[in-house]
Amino acid sequence: MAFPGPILLKRIPAEPGGRHLHRYDDYVATGGYESLKKALAMPPADIVKLVVDSGLRGRGGAGFPCGSKWTFLPKDIHPRYLAVNFDESEPGTFKDRYLIDYDPHILLEGIAIAAYANSITTSYIYIRGEYHREAQILEEALAEAYSHGIFGQKHAGTEFTHNCYVHRGAGAYICGEETGLLESLEGKRGWPRIKPPFPAIAGAFAKPTIINNVETLACVVPIVEHGAAWFKAMGTPSSSGPKLFGISGHVNAPGVYEEELGIKMSTLIEKYGGGVKGKFKAAIPGGISMGILATNQYDAELDFDIGKKYGVLGLGTAGVIVMNDQTSLPRILRNIVRFFSHESCGQCTPCREGTSWMHKILNRIVAGRGKPHDLDMLLELSQTMGAMPGTTICGLADGANWAVKTFLQKFPDDFKAVVKSPLVAGVSVPMAVTVSGAAAAPAGV
Amino acid sequence: MPTMEVDGQMVSWEGKKTILQACNDANVPIPHYCYHAGLSIVASCRICLVEMESPDPKDPAKMVKLPKLTPSCQTPAVDRMKVTSKSPKAVANQKAVMEFLLINHPLDCPVCDQAGECYLQDYSFNYGRAESRFEEDKIKNPKKDIGLHVLLYSDRCILCTRCVRFTREISGSGELAVFGRGAREEIDVFPGKTVDNPLSANVIDICPVGALLDKDFLFSQRVWFLKSAASISPISSGGENIFIHHNHGRIYRIKPRFNADVNKWWISDEARYTWQFVHENRLHACHRMQYGSFVETSWERAYAQTTEDLQKAVRDNGPGSTAAVLSPFASTEEMFLHAKFARSIDPQAWLAVTPPRIDGQDQVFKNPATGAVTFTIRAEKAPNRRGAEKITAHFGGNACALEELAEKIKNKKVMAVLASADPLPGMDKPVLAAIGAAPTLIALTSRHTGLYEKAGLSMPTCTWAEKAGVYENCDGRIQAFQQAIDPLENCRSDGRIFWDLLAHEGTHSAAAVRHEMAAAGLADYANVAIPQVEKPLEVMEFSAL
């Protein structure tokens, strides 16, 4: 099935300006809260099954199947909590902000359906501290929802009652990691927790907790409305449904656009992003922690299988950052690693020290004082830390690593060019050492 | 009993344990910084990572190997598991973590108090690499005075957060926290607060590196010169297990000794820092009053005069005119000999015990999260009241409280008193008030105290550090302590003095007295476990490097 047109963004005009915030009445007038009514008439287990059947995968970055996450909740432990992850802190990602800026009720409806489906009586929307405008929009929307009986009181004909709260973060990237988020929600320092126990067993306040991304919950609304088969018809077999893509960087029309999963990056950039400014050189598929796509990977399909196919970590948040041939990749990488070094929570030794070390090396390289063996050091460091080799608790270090690894493997010449021999001051000498693993990098499709 | 294989060695354990806990108990070395048996598990230092294979829960005959490294401190041990901390992957991680920890660590071991008992040093040697590859500028964090006893050198800190967890989970005071983020992160106190809880100095012990240092011990001795003796704290009736660290006859510090049933891994600051009396204001000679002034006298004359004076009192005033005052600071063996000697001269000699000072109420510490009691500081400030009561009961006959004895002295019923004095400064006032007026007062005292001033004859005795023996704590637990340092010049322990006065044969030893006590019917003393000194640091075999 071809993509039928905006689904999550259907209420938002292509040029929304500042005046198209959908209040409760606008939302209801355009068919809002119909899915909730429909859901409340269904047994909760059927809704969970519907979401499982739809193949909806988490939109927050990891792409974990949303339905199976819901089925992990132990049957007999109450209360349970729903934590909505609106700590959208990944550079290059702004899709959730866009959605909430104009249509906050779609999230609230998704929350109400998810809560009903999982017998949850309390949910928290964890919103990043910098999103003060969105926090205000959500508070207002929440007040409307409360006054119209969506939250806070029993729905007619059911025992279902639900309370929802907006919790503002204090501006830390790590609080977007799900257990870091829970710690922060509990009023503690946002240090990711060791697992097990997983949040589904002992999450917020040591009770079973589901943590879902804003867009994931918004997707639940059309799934209930149109059914699982309709949702599954979009996208690819393993990545179904529509997806919000945020395009930024060297494109003519940056912004948030909705398309089905599996769309080619080139199509996305040209059809929606207005084409590349200048000549395409590289792109980050979804937030800076995912690594980089090489020049010959311009046609990469943006779906959850992108990681295996194109040698990046994954689709991430689908915040595509496009770079043209005037871009200095060492500077970009320095900036990326600076971010991870600054945002490392400092709990695990390898990430705390390793990201800062890589940042210092890259600082030196960018300042023209790089040495050939610095690149090998960077590669070695990027392979020793992270949740994937098991040396850190959470995946923050993996983000830094994949950036370093893929930048060095896919664009070795850019780095060799700036690394000068320490023996010949001021003269750029091609690097003598090989960047190990460079040959193993996928050549693209 | 479940068993797993760790680096080729079989490790068995009971109950629920993590891999690291089972290995620690079985003395199989796995490096670790943030893990401490007494604190919650955070798995953040990441040096304890191992590779492991465990039986498939669905098909127990099949072993499943985890593709990535696993924190051994956090992962439960499972029967038939295979763990390796020496695989190339695990070793690479150990080397990497060591390198990471050292990139911002100053190279100031020569002036660091922790040198010699520093996990960074030991693990550098065992698991690290020889040279640093770090070419950038180090982050230099400040040194801070954060409490009554504690200094924080945050440049040396490896952020294992043991100290933070201690103040949150054990002392319940939560003064310490992690501030900042990433590599700029620091341990610190909250503004305007200091680490001043009564257990504060334990954070120094659990700090695996030289970041938290003891002001009292600062720059006073290199730790490799220190010798260790297993002892019991004489400061309160809790009977906290300690090590006395000493060198050349001088105490340098006191450290806690693990005892699961008494003090766990901790001791109170009071027990840790009250040892200066061992080296202050000590007596070094026997003194007797002659024509209104003190003259030095020899041990032989002192012994002779003691016996003569007591015998004279009995001769002149009949049996029951002498008394022995036992100190709850003496070991049970010493009290036994003391009472035995008193009764050997006067079969109706009165036995009295100096009542210990009671300092308010027991201080109970709880984990604020769980409510579990983590530590108790006892209000009763003497180690062996129960021992004294046991001895008094054993000998039976005339026994009375100290106030009654004072009454008897006032009424001229008791004419001669042989008193053992408490060693702590300022503790002898009630004794002095009670028995100071006795016509014949013989004092066994280690210090220049009020009792010494009033006594017609005084003999210099030893503090607990200079002798061995047993104390019975407030829960009736009989605990032995070792002698740490030799008796200071010309001092003799109470036990030795009474051994000599009783003309026992052979050399005096606490064990010999206990043997005698057991024979006399005090069966509890037949087999008292003698504590062992600290194990020396384990040096791994070179092949493991």
Side-chain angles (χ1 to χ4, degrees):
Chain A
M1 183 178 91
F3 184 61
I7 296 160
L8 303 177
L9 300 183
K10 69 178 180 185
R11 291 183 183 83
I12 308 172
E15 293 290 335
R19 289 168 291 154
H20 285 273
L21 170 63
H22 280 74
R23 298 209 168 266
Y24 181 82
D25 294 337
D26 309 325
Y27 187 68
V28 171
T30 48
Y33 289 115
E34 288 302 321
S35 295
L36 177 61
K37 267 186 212 152
K38 195 175 164 191
L40 288 173
M42 293 163 71
D46 287 9
I47 303 172
V48 176
K49 189 165 178 304
L50 190 66
V51 174
V52 172
D53 291 345
S54 73
L56 171 62
R57 291 175 67 168
R59 267 37 174 168
F64 193 84
C66 174
S68 31
K69 198 182 239 182
W70 290 7
T71 57
F72 291 155
L73 288 176
K75 293 221 162 28
D76 41 1
I77 306 177
H78 291 275
R80 301 157 162 190
Y81 296 106
L82 170 65
V84 183
N85 191 343
F86 192 8
D87 191 76
E88 187 175 48
S89 316
E90 179 94 5
T93 310
F94 41 90
K95 62 185 179 68
D96 296 341
R97 185 188 71 184
Y98 187 79
L99 189 65
I100 299 303
D101 262 346
Y102 300 109
D103 194 8
H105 281 283
I106 194 169
L107 171 64
L108 299 185
E109 187 175 4
I111 289 172
I113 295 171
Y116 172 71
N118 295 293
S119 321
I120 290 167
T121 52
T122 309
S123 62
Y124 299 95
I125 303 173
Y126 187 96
I127 180 167
R128 72 181 284 200
E130 293 89 334
Y131 279 1
H132 47 86
R133 186 175 125 86
E134 287 69 23
Q136 201 182 344
I137 290 170
L138 272 176
E139 291 282 14
E140 284 165 14
L142 213 48
E144 284 180 331
Y146 266 98
S147 68
H148 287 89
I150 306 295
F151 296 127
Q153 64 192 58
K154 277 183 194 168
H155 285 263
T158 66
E159 285 298 300
F160 173 62
T161 155
H162 185 76
N163 283 302
C164 181
Y165 305 95
V166 173
H167 183 104
R168 288 187 64 191
Y173 174 66
I174 197 62
C175 293
E177 199 277 346
E178 57 178 14
T179 53
L181 182 150
L182 294 178
E183 288 284 296
S184 175
L185 186 65
E186 291 179 6
K188 298 173 189 158
R189 191 180 162 84
W191 272 8
R193 293 179 183 170
I194 49 175
K195 289 144 245 168
F198 288 93
I201 310 298
F205 314 105
K207 295 290 179 196
T209 303
I210 297 176
I211 302 146
N212 279 146
N213 177 258
V214 169
E215 189 190 344
T216 316
L217 287 168
C219 280
V220 172
V221 178
I223 289 174
V224 171
E225 188 182 347
H226 301 290
W230 168 85
F231 191 82
K232 228 174 152 51
M234 282 175 280
T236 68
S238 61
S239 317
S240 52
K243 178 85 190 78
L244 300 183
F245 292 93
I247 310 174
S248 58
H250 297 139
V251 289
N252 290 312
V256 175
Y257 304 99
E258 190 173 8
E259 248 297 348
E260 63 181 330
L261 280 163
I263 186 182
K264 283 186 176 167
M265 185 168 73
S266 51
T267 317
L268 187 74
I269 292 171
E270 276 149 31
K271 185 172 167 192
Y272 295 97
V276 182
K277 275 185 188 166
K279 195 166 160 257
F280 177 82
K281 177 172 186 181
I284 286 166
I288 58 168
S289 59
M290 293 298 129
I292 196 163
L293 292 165
T295 315
N296 58 4
Q297 294 172 336
Y298 184 46
D299 287 331
E301 294 92 3
L302 296 171
D303 57 34
F304 290 112
D305 296 326
I306 190 173
K308 272 177 245 156
K309 283 198 239 166
Y310 297 96
V312 288
L313 184 50
L315 180 63
T317 54
V320 180
I321 304 172
V322 181
M323 287 166 256
N324 67 12
D325 60 353
Q326 298 302 303
T327 315
S328 160
L329 290 182
R331 280 176 187 278
I332 299 283
L333 184 60
R334 192 264 303 253
N335 207 18
I336 290 174
V337 173
R338 186 191 69 85
F339 174 80
F340 285 109
S341 164
H342 183 252
E343 293 295 341
S344 166
C345 79
Q347 189 176 196
C348 305
T349 309
C351 171
R352 178 182 69 231
E353 306 293 347
T355 50
S356 133
W357 190 356
M358 293 200 300
H359 177 217
K360 286 177 177 175
I361 292 177
L362 282 160
N363 267 345
R364 201 154 43 74
I365 291 175
V366 168
R369 288 183 281 113
K371 299 167 191 170
H373 65 251
D374 286 340
L375 302 185
D376 285 334
M377 194 70 224
L378 280 174
L379 264 182
E380 187 190 324
L381 286 176
S382 72
Q383 276 150 11
T384 51
M385 55 189 195
M388 298 179 85
T391 61
T392 57
I393 291 171
C394 84
L396 186 140
D398 294 299
N401 292 344
W402 276 80
V404 171
K405 208 155 50 182
T406 53
F407 270 70
L408 288 179
Q409 284 171 349
K410 294 181 181 179
F411 296 94
D413 296 336
D414 287 56
F415 286 87
K416 286 177 193 171
V418 295
V419 172
K420 293 170 184 168
S421 165
L423 297 174
V424 193
V427 180
S428 178
V429 175
M431 196 177 69
V433 289
T434 54
V435 177
S436 46
V445 183
Chain B
M1 204 191 277
T3 305
M4 63 179 167
E5 189 186 324
V6 182
D7 296 330
Q9 297 182 58
M10 300 314 284
V11 172
S12 298
W13 70 96
E14 275 177 67
K16 271 191 176 174
K17 290 229 166 111
T18 68
I19 298 172
L20 183 63
Q21 282 165 348
C23 290
N24 276 352
D25 293 349
N27 279 327
V28 175
I30 291 183
H32 56 277
Y33 285 112
C34 67
Y35 172 80
H36 187 283
L39 303 170
S40 60
I41 294 171
V42 291
S44 66
C45 74
R46 311 308 281 185
I47 199 171
C48 75
L49 306 189
V50 292
E51 282 197 273
M52 64 171 210
E53 276 179 76
S54 51
D56 188 343
K58 285 171 200 148
D59 178 13
K62 222 171 86 189
M63 297 293 274
V64 185
K65 184 162 183 178
L66 255 120
K68 55 183 185 179
L69 292 164
T70 314
S72 63
C73 64
Q74 176 210 346
T75 311
V78 176
D79 194 20
R80 303 200 300 112
M81 202 178 228
K82 260 178 125 172
V83 174
T84 168
S85 69
K86 292 176 185 167
S87 69
K89 235 179 173 177
V91 169
N93 175 64
Q94 288 155 4
K95 282 196 190 305
V97 170
M98 282 313 302
E99 187 169 29
F100 286 139
L101 289 176
L102 290 172
I103 58 174
N104 286 313
H105 192 85
L107 196 57
D108 64 352
C109 301
V111 294
C112 176
D113 266 355
Q114 190 84 3
E117 53 180 8
C118 175
Y119 280 65
L120 270 178
Q121 288 184 329
D122 296 346
Y123 289 171
S124 272
F125 180 71
N126 285 337
Y127 306 101
R129 60 173 73 242
E131 78 291 337
S132 172
R133 297 182 293 172
F134 186 68
E135 299 173 25
E136 329 302 324
D137 293 335
K138 288 191 182 221
I139 295 173
K140 184 100 176 69
N141 285 328
K143 296 175 171 58
K144 284 175 193 155
D145 184 349
I146 57 165
L148 195 56
H149 304 297
V150 191
L151 282 176
L152 169 64
Y153 282 58
S154 38
D155 51 346
R156 294 179 189 154
C157 177
I158 60 164
L159 290 155
C160 67
T161 70
R162 278 181 176 191
C163 53
V164 176
R165 280 175 281 149
F166 179 87
T167 59
R168 288 189 184 159
E169 295 164 16
I170 308 297
S171 69
S173 46
E175 301 101 333
L176 288 167
V178 180
F179 292 80
R181 209 164 56 191
R184 288 262 164 207
E185 194 170 77
E186 267 180 70
I187 302 282
D188 205 346
V189 286
F190 289 101
K193 301 268 179 195
T194 56
V195 184
D196 54 0
N197 66 71
L199 303 177
S200 66
N202 286 296
V203 297
I204 301 160
D205 302 332
I206 57 177
C207 183
V209 300
L212 291 167
L213 294 179
D214 193 337
K215 284 186 192 169
D216 194 58
F217 181 68
L218 195 68
F219 305 136
S220 67
Q221 187 82 171
R222 300 312 325 218
V223 297
W224 50 85
F225 294 133
L226 293 176
K227 288 136 194 114
S228 181
S231 185
I232 302 293
S233 170
I235 305 309
S236 77
S237 63
E240 294 164 31
N241 290 214
I242 55 170
F243 286 114
I244 300 174
H245 287 170
H246 59 94
N247 186 24
H248 289 308
R250 217 196 122 72
I251 298 179
Y252 282 93
R253 65 176 181 186
I254 283 174
K255 285 272 183 187
R257 177 159 61 92
F258 174 70
N259 186 327
D261 302 318
V262 182
N263 54 317
K264 304 217 169 61
W265 299 264
W266 329 115
I267 54 172
S268 64
D269 288 357
E270 183 185 46
R272 186 186 304 264
Y273 295 114
T274 317
W275 54 264
Q276 299 292 355
F277 69 90
V278 173
H279 297 294
E280 277 172 4
N281 208 9
R282 288 290 296 269
L283 289 169
H284 292 288
C286 301
H287 286 99
R288 65 191 170 86
M289 186 70 90
Q290 196 176 44
Y291 307 122
S293 61
F294 289 114
V295 290
E296 270 193 35
T297 185
S298 69
W299 277 104
E300 289 72 23
R301 274 201 74 182
Y303 282 169
Q305 190 182 335
T306 305
T307 316
E308 271 166 32
D309 284 359
L310 292 173
Q311 278 170 346
K312 184 167 177 293
V314 179
R315 221 164 36 236
D316 295 353
N317 306 290
S321 59
T322 66
V325 177
L326 310 181
S327 159
F329 281 84
S331 71
T332 317
E333 296 94 327
E334 290 173 330
M335 295 181 195
F336 176 79
L337 292 179
H338 189 163
K340 189 171 177 183
F341 173 67
R343 287 287 165 83
S344 74
I345 287 179
D346 178 357
Q348 289 172 38
W350 291 88
L351 300 182
V353 180
T354 312
R357 181 165 65 92
I358 305 293
D359 207 355
Q361 290 188 327
D362 286 359
Q363 258 181 297
V364 180
F365 295 85
K366 287 179 179 165
N367 181 337
T370 63
V373 173
T374 51
F375 198 83
T376 307
I377 299 178
R378 300 288 171 182
E380 184 181 309
K381 299 299 178 196
N384 205 14
R385 173 185 55 83
R386 286 185 67 127
E389 284 167 2
K390 199 174 256 179
I391 293 300
T392 321
H394 172 75
F395 281 93
N398 284 340
C400 63
L402 199 64
E403 298 88 47
E404 289 175 54
L405 184 64
E407 208 51 36
K408 290 184 205 308
I409 292 168
K410 214 167 144 191
N411 301 336
K412 309 275 183 216
K413 295 262 173 54
V414 168
M415 301 302 284
V417 179
L418 173 57
S420 172
D422 292 352
L424 287 182
M427 277 201 180
D428 63 338
K429 287 205 178 91
V431 198
L432 191 61
I435 62 173
T440 304
L441 178 57
I442 302 164
L444 276 65
T445 176
S446 57
R447 307 163 52 82
H448 283 275
T449 58
L451 208 56
Y452 162 79
E453 303 284 341
K454 292 271 183 188
L457 174 66
S458 69
M459 287 174 267
T461 59
C462 297
T463 60
W464 105 110
E466 299 150 66
K467 63 194 178 191
V470 299
Y471 287 148
E472 186 167 338
N473 82 351
C474 57
D475 301 322
R477 178 179 292 272
I478 295 172
Q479 304 186 105
F481 56 94
Q482 292 181 325
Q483 178 179 347
I485 55 177
D486 285 339
L488 296 198
E489 187 194 344
N490 205 28
C491 293
R492 289 180 184 179
S493 70
D494 289 20
R496 160 86 194 277
I497 293 168
F498 293 118
W499 181 274
D500 292 347
L501 285 171
L502 283 162
H504 275 12
E505 283 185 5
T507 314
H508 163 252
S509 76
V513 180
R514 281 200 295 277
H515 192 69
E516 191 183 330
M517 289 161 75
L522 286 159
D524 291 352
Y525 295 91
N527 290 305
V528 176
I530 305 300
Q532 297 303 309
V533 287
E534 247 168 336
K535 266 191 321 181
L537 277 171
E538 274 184 41
V539 177
M540 278 186 61
E541 283 175 35
F542 220 71
S543 61
L545 300 178

